[in-house]
């Protein structure tokens, strides 16, 4: 599931906000989540540990490809349900 909280700045033609993912990992040995993106500036990625507690995760946004966009790789040391 995906929950979005966005603020629109029509004058600057930008969106700012958060995307919260609820995950159901299918591979127990997974150590990364790979997502497709296009034209995003990502400041940080956080994992929900316990209610109200978040910790930062390492991530990498690949160089953009004109056709495919940019791959977002989020590294994790364990399977986390909320990012």
């Amino acid at each position: 599931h995906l929950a979005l909280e966005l603020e629109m700045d029509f004058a600057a033609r930008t969106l700012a906000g958060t995307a919260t993912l609820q995950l159901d990992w299918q591979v127990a040995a997974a150590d990364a989540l790979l997502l497709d993106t296009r034209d995003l500036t990502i400041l940080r990625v956080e994992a929900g540990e316990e209610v109200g507690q978040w910790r930062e995760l390492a991530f990498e946004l690949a160089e953009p490809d004109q056709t495919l966009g940019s791959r977002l790789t989020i590294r994790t040391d364990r399977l986390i349900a909320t990012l």
Side-chain angles (χ1 to χ4, degrees):
H1 295 100
L2 171 65
L4 289 174
E5 293 183 33
L6 300 173
E7 294 180 19
M8 293 175 253
D9 183 338
F10 290 104
R13 299 177 54 122
T14 62
L15 294 172
T18 62
T20 304
L21 297 172
Q22 295 291 325
L23 303 173
D24 181 12
W25 295 86
Q26 300 298 305
V27 178
D31 64 352
L33 176 66
L34 305 176
L35 300 170
D36 293 328
T37 71
R38 180 171 300 280
D39 300 326
L40 295 180
T41 300
I42 299 173
L43 301 178
R44 73 178 166 268
V45 175
E46 297 178 318
E49 297 290 334
E50 296 179 21
V51 176
Q53 292 186 345
W54 295 83
R55 71 176 170 103
E56 240 177 281
L57 295 178
F59 72 94
E60 178 184 343
L61 190 59
E63 290 295 319
D65 177 275
Q66 186 175 1
T67 304
L68 301 174
S70 298
R71 179 181 58 234
L72 172 62
T73 303
I74 302 170
R75 301 274 175 215
T76 180
D77 56 350
R78 60 186 174 279
L79 303 183
I80 299 166
T82 304
L83 295 175

